Amino acid sequence: MMSAAVAHVDDDDPPCKEPVYHAEKALSNGDFYIGQWLGNLPHGHGKYLWTDGCVYLGEWYKGKTMGKGKFGWFSGANYEGDFKGGYMDGRGTLTGSSGDTYRGYWVMNLRHGQGTQSYANGDCYDGDWRRGSQDGHGRYRWNTSNHYIGQWKSGLMNGNGTMIWSNGNRYDGFWQGGLPKGNGSFRWPDGGFYVGFWSKDPNEQNGTYYPSGSSSGSLDWDPQEVFLDLKDFKISSCEKMSVLPSQKMLNWHGVLDQGNAKPAKGNGSEGRLRRISVDGRLSNYSVASLDGCDVYSSGVDGDLRDVDEGFGNLQVEELDPKISKLRTQPVKKQGETISKGHKNYELMLNLQLGIRHSVGRPAPAISLDLRSSAFDPKEKVWTKFPSEGSKHTPPHQSSEFKWKDYCPVVFRTLRKLFNVDAADYMLSICGNDALRELSSPGKSGSFFYLTNDDRYMIKTIKKAEVKVLLRMLPAYYNHVRSSENTLVTKFYGLHCVKLTGPNQKKVRFVIMGNLFCSEFSIHRRFDLKGSSHGRMTSKPESEIDPTTTLKDLDLNYIFRLQKSWFQEFCRQVDRDCDFLEQERIMDYSLLIGLHFREASSRESLTPPRTSGVRYPPGIRTPTGVQTPSGLRTPTGLHSPTGMGDETDSGAPRLSRVDFDKLFLDPTRRASIKLGINMPARVEKTVRRRDGEPQLIGEPTGVLYEVVLFFGIIDILQDYDISKKLEHAYKSMQYDPTSISAVDPKQYSKRFRDFIFRVFAEDA
């Protein structure tokens, strides 16, 4: 009986009329085959022995190895796994004669996709491969216990990554060609660190050394020592096979009539892999060929050079859903980069200089038990930054300014509490990359800035908001310390820049975590308060895109969480609202970001007959997953909001299988927290058009799988005299329950009632 792996022939193949039978064939060249046979070819399960000692045992399709099988070399090396068209292709394990072992994915004899390579010398690499080399994200561990985790390109460390030495030293930053190049930090186990721009050229190397513990220290360490040390960090090579399975000539009678591949000559296509289809027509090698059952033979000329030429522009995710990996294209960043000539360029330089000074300043070891004096609003440090520099500040190109740190010990401790590394924090905000300014300020008049890596958001605030934060700081500290899953905004620093000159302008700002810093693109975002007056976006529908923040009356989903998460969510919202109510805070909101999982899937290698067809809401697509309104099928390449091709946003994309694996992987599961990277479902809702407008629409039963991000923001507005006057004025014009400006106790109750209606347990 033929195995299932061989039986999945193309729909276009003519039905086989001849029976499959068992045969033993001795070939004229001395080779021998025993197994299932169809016509003049092996077809089914069989064993082939070559005169040079190589052997294949496994599945065949029309004369070619296709399906599960095992190939052994005379040297003792062997491969066991998937074959396709004669090639090692799919998932398999190659064990070399010297002890090298690779377990992972292959494409046309090349390591390609996720895989683990164990070398004979004790080194090990686990991560992404492309065309036979480490490429993507991976971890390399040397037999000396040193290891690197980060990005690779063409077999070398390239991009963002971390090198950790066995003695505890570590480098975090950018790499190029296997060496540090760009912004990075080097840290010692005692807490000291060096931050700056790295280069093998000493003239380009530039940075600052921060000793640990003491207020002063001399740098008797040369950063170039790192480059000398890395010369010993060699990347091992994989064992080369003397011959590859696809290079073993199989001269079956009539094989060319069955669809062999051969190098096509002439017309500028010399050496390029071509295939002959069943009807005899020549065509260029295509991705679809890998999934069909066409039979290939590279022949004498079909070595890896042919493979390379036909393979150069393919991406992992295009080849096979089984090996589809996360792929990030250059993302179009939100906001305007603050470059020289920008009106706020000097302010950005001042901010970066101040942060570098504050965070890098030597300080005693941090204890989480702070004295009450640390929270005193008068606990602030002024530092003068003259252009020519001073004993404690570097020279700079900006005008002279003064820098103020509010409660520095408290915020330093908060950063530790939130597991923010000092060197990484400085690198994000003060590296060579400029900040980005987000659109024009809203009703509050505040400006928002994002760091280049999207990890931190900097917001300019009013003096009154500074006072509120300083007043509530002791309670805030105790709350976030006791509530690991708190949803309230994480504050990392509170500062002020005072510009010199005639106007003596002061700019106060707070540094916060960016809720939407993730490898997943955000397709929809909502700002929810539980009120209705003025709670609808002013943009016309044609201008709404994934960066638009929608409001309560725009909401058309109910968020369904797994039982345990829903229970924890309710408990945490109650705790956070109790805290905000006690601090007399109101006008806060729940910011929600949605990533539609189906928009990231790629389940078809070639456009099917339904490609590009728009499906009505709730109709199941050919993939079996319902589509949000305006969403094309995954092969149609439309985003779930109808806002265009997912590829345009530069969003990471995963196959359906890998997306599920993402949440089953223990290392990934650790990154899922309340409000962060949460797998969930949302149900579409529709508001009635008759009668009173509904704050929450009626459920439709149409569900979509999503990744959720949410948190409570804008927590620096207390119920002051201006808000009381606003409440009195608007209450005379509108329903008092519909306006945002209400007493903190009433606000908290209304907010909870609303949130607990739009979030529900997923039954």
Side-chain angles (χ1 to χ4, degrees):
M1 180 179 293
M2 288 173 55
S3 69
V6 180
H8 62 87
V9 297
D10 265 340
D11 293 337
D12 296 332
D13 281 355
C16 295
K17 297 181 180 179
E18 298 183 64
V20 176
Y21 63 94
H22 182 81
E24 296 183 8
K25 300 285 184 178
L27 281 75
S28 58
N29 63 358
D31 294 351
F32 185 80
Y33 173 82
I34 179 171
Q36 291 176 304
W37 194 266
L38 175 64
N40 293 321
L41 300 169
H43 191 80
H45 193 275
K47 182 177 183 179
Y48 191 102
L49 295 92
W50 284 268
T51 54
D52 63 0
C54 292
V55 61
Y56 171 80
L57 175 64
E59 295 165 343
W60 299 76
Y61 178 76
K62 292 184 178 180
K64 295 296 291 183
T65 54
M66 181 83 72
K68 299 289 184 183
K70 183 173 182 178
F71 187 94
W73 284 263
F74 177 74
S75 64
N78 68 82
Y79 168 84
E80 185 171 4
D82 297 330
F83 286 82
K84 193 176 293 182
Y87 294 93
M88 298 183 291
D89 198 303
R91 187 173 182 86
T93 299
L94 175 66
T95 303
S97 58
S98 64
D100 278 16
T101 302
Y102 172 80
R103 293 181 176 86
Y105 288 100
W106 300 77
V107 172
M108 297 180 73
N109 295 334
L110 297 173
R111 295 164 175 82
H112 195 97
Q114 174 70 26
T116 301
Q117 174 74 49
S118 299
Y119 299 93
N121 64 356
D123 291 359
C124 180
Y125 172 81
D126 181 23
D128 297 327
W129 297 75
R130 175 173 165 78
R131 298 178 64 185
S133 298
Q134 297 94 333
D135 202 305
H137 188 274
R139 172 175 179 165
Y140 192 100
R141 178 179 52 78
W142 284 266
N143 55 20
T144 56
S145 296
N146 303 320
H147 63 275
Y148 169 86
I149 307 171
Q151 297 297 314
W152 295 75
K153 186 175 182 181
S154 302
L156 294 173
M157 296 169 284
N158 203 94
N160 198 13
T162 298
M163 176 72 78
I164 302 177
W165 280 259
S166 57
N167 62 4
N169 293 346
R170 64 182 288 163
Y171 168 83
D172 298 89
F174 289 92
W175 298 73
Q176 184 176 307
L179 295 172
K181 182 65 182 288
N183 289 325
S185 64
F186 189 91
R187 280 170 280 186
W188 289 268
D190 64 1
F193 58 91
Y194 172 95
V195 177
F197 184 89
W198 292 73
S199 174
K200 191 176 180 181
D201 182 354
N203 295 324
E204 293 183 357
Q205 180 82 33
N206 181 32
T208 306
Y209 170 66
Y210 298 94
S212 65
S214 61
S215 59
S216 62
S218 60
L219 175 58
D220 56 358
W221 173 78
D222 184 359
Q224 292 297 308
E225 291 180 16
V226 173
F227 294 94
L228 295 174
D229 193 20
L230 288 174
K231 286 184 177 180
D232 298 328
F233 287 54
K234 304 294 184 184
I235 306 300
S236 298
S237 299
C238 300
E239 181 181 344
K240 302 293 184 183
M241 297 295 108
S242 58
V243 65
L244 295 168
S246 60
Q247 294 173 302
K248 301 298 289 181
M249 283 291 288
L250 299 176
N251 292 317
W252 305 113
H253 174 67
V255 67
L256 288 179
D257 294 334
Q258 300 298 323
N260 282 341
K262 63 181 181 180
K265 304 295 182 183
N267 299 325
S269 301
E270 294 185 9
R272 177 155 185 172
L273 190 63
R274 310 271 281 187
R275 74 177 176 91
I276 301 178
S277 62
V278 174
D279 61 8
R281 293 174 299 181
L282 275 173
S283 66
N284 286 326
Y285 174 79
S286 68
V287 179
S289 307
L290 288 175
D291 274 352
C293 292
D294 297 309
V295 181
Y296 293 88
S297 175
S298 56
V300 177
D301 298 324
D303 60 11
L304 291 179
R305 289 171 294 179
D306 291 322
V307 175
D308 268 353
E309 289 194 30
F311 193 60
N313 295 323
L314 300 182
Q315 301 293 333
V316 178
E317 115 183 323
E318 295 169 332
L319 292 166
D320 196 319
K322 298 191 300 294
I323 64 170
S324 172
K325 294 301 295 175
L326 188 69
R327 182 182 75 168
T328 305
Q329 296 179 338
V331 178
K332 185 178 180 182
K333 301 280 190 180
Q334 264 189 282
E336 177 188 1
T337 300
I338 305 177
S339 54
K340 198 164 187 177
H342 191 283
K343 62 179 181 179
N344 289 324
Y345 179 70
E346 277 207 4
L347 178 62
M348 181 191 74
L349 291 182
N350 297 344
L351 187 154
Q352 291 178 322
L353 285 165
I355 294 291
R356 184 184 288 269
H357 173 77
S358 299
V359 177
R361 187 169 52 232
I366 297 175
S367 168
L368 296 182
D369 297 318
L370 297 177
R371 298 178 180 177
S372 58
S373 59
F375 297 95
D376 190 334
K378 296 178 182 178
E379 187 69 20
K380 46 197 171 189
V381 178
W382 277 103
T383 305
K384 189 175 182 180
F385 281 79
S387 301
E388 65 277 10
S390 67
K391 181 180 178 181
H392 301 291
T393 63
H396 56 88
Q397 299 176 351
S398 180
S399 302
E400 181 178 313
F401 68 95
K402 288 185 177 180
W403 171 263
K404 183 194 287 188
D405 256 340
Y406 294 92
C407 298
V409 175
V410 176
F411 285 103
R412 185 185 290 267
T413 310
L414 281 171
R415 292 194 293 271
K416 180 181 179 181
L417 196 62
F418 295 139
N419 296 314
V420 174
D421 179 81
D424 289 342
Y425 184 70
M426 288 174 58
L427 204 58
S428 292
I429 302 174
C430 312
N432 285 3
D433 297 315
L435 303 177
R436 304 194 313 278
E437 183 176 271
L438 301 186
S439 62
S440 57
K443 290 190 294 184
S444 67
S446 297
F447 284 88
F448 292 87
Y449 303 96
L450 269 177
T451 57
N452 189 62
D453 59 7
D454 290 333
R455 291 175 65 182
Y456 303 106
M457 181 173 285
I458 300 165
K459 177 185 178 182
T460 61
I461 58 177
K462 301 173 183 175
K463 185 176 182 179
E465 291 175 298
V466 172
K467 289 182 176 180
V468 170
L469 180 52
L470 292 175
R471 173 182 60 77
M472 65 183 282
L473 195 55
Y476 172 84
Y477 178 81
N478 291 330
H479 179 70
V480 297
R481 185 181 178 186
S482 61
S483 300
E484 183 182 357
N485 289 327
T486 182
L487 299 176
V488 298
T489 304
K490 290 181 170 63
F491 294 121
Y492 300 121
L494 182 61
H495 312 282
C496 175
V497 170
K498 183 179 181 182
L499 305 177
T500 57
N503 57 6
Q504 296 283 302
K505 179 183 176 183
K506 286 185 179 179
V507 181
R508 302 168 182 88
F509 53 90
V510 64
I511 302 176
M512 309 174 289
N514 177 19
L515 185 61
F516 296 151
C517 177
S518 169
E519 60 191 2
F520 301 118
S521 58
I522 303 299
H523 297 125
R524 271 289 183 259
R525 55 190 75 199
F526 295 93
D527 181 282
L528 306 178
K529 293 186 175 183
S531 57
S532 58
H533 177 67
R535 299 297 295 165
M536 180 182 289
T537 184
S538 57
K539 281 188 177 182
E541 188 172 349
S542 60
E543 294 181 15
I544 294 175
D545 61 27
T547 65
T548 303
T549 301
L550 303 174
K551 301 179 183 178
D552 300 66
L553 294 180
D554 302 307
L555 180 65
N556 54 348
Y557 298 110
I558 289 176
F559 308 97
R560 299 198 174 277
L561 306 181
Q562 296 172 7
K563 182 178 180 180
S564 58
W565 280 119
F566 178 69
Q567 292 173 345
E568 177 59 28
F569 171 77
C570 293
R571 285 193 294 266
Q572 193 57 56
V573 169
D574 278 334
R575 291 191 199 105
D576 290 337
C577 286
D578 286 343
F579 158 69
L580 295 171
E581 183 182 331
Q582 290 167 9
E583 294 303 309
R584 302 290 292 166
I585 301 297
M586 43 79 66
D587 217 19
Y588 45 87
S589 54
L590 186 71
L591 182 64
I592 302 175
L594 290 178
H595 172 88
F596 287 92
R597 289 179 57 174
E598 185 62 17
S600 293
S601 297
R602 294 293 183 270
E603 298 187 337
S604 177
L605 301 181
T606 55
R609 295 178 181 87
T610 57
S611 178
V613 176
R614 186 178 292 274
Y615 288 83
I619 299 299
R620 290 191 176 272
T621 70
T623 58
V625 179
Q626 292 172 325
T627 58
S629 179
L631 171 65
R632 289 182 186 265
T633 64
T635 51
L637 304 184
H638 259 238
S639 72
T641 55
M643 294 303 161
D645 194 329
E646 174 71 11
T647 59
D648 292 339
S649 70
R653 300 197 297 274
L654 297 90
S655 74
R656 190 77 179 171
V657 173
D658 281 325
F659 214 124
D660 292 334
K661 287 181 180 177
L662 178 71
F663 297 108
L664 295 175
D665 182 352
T667 58
R668 289 284 190 173
R669 207 161 51 226
S671 69
I672 301 174
K673 298 179 180 178
L674 187 66
I676 301 173
N677 290 332
M678 287 187 63
R681 297 200 298 173
V682 295
E683 182 175 0
K684 188 83 171 179
T685 61
V686 176
R687 289 181 175 84
R688 292 194 306 267
R689 297 185 181 276
D690 56 327
E692 291 293 321
Q694 293 176 286
L695 192 56
I696 301 173
E698 300 292 335
T700 62
V702 180
L703 297 166
Y704 321 121
E705 296 179 7
V706 299
V707 182
L708 272 184
F709 302 83
F710 51 80
I712 298 175
I713 64 169
D714 295 337
I715 63 171
L716 297 182
Q717 179 61 61
D718 63 352
Y719 197 51
D720 58 12
I721 186 63
S722 65
K723 286 295 179 181
K724 291 176 181 177
L725 291 173
E726 180 185 343
H727 172 77
Y729 175 73
K730 288 185 176 180
S731 294
M732 293 186 290
Q733 298 178 299
Y734 310 103
D735 178 0
T737 62
S738 71
I739 61 178
S740 294
V742 295
D743 175 85
K745 187 172 184 178
Q746 183 183 347
Y747 191 95
S748 173
K749 182 180 185 306
R750 183 180 64 187
F751 178 82
R752 285 188 241 200
D753 290 345
F754 177 70
I755 295 302
F756 292 154
R757 288 175 63 197
V758 297
F759 278 80
E761 181 182 326
D762 191 351

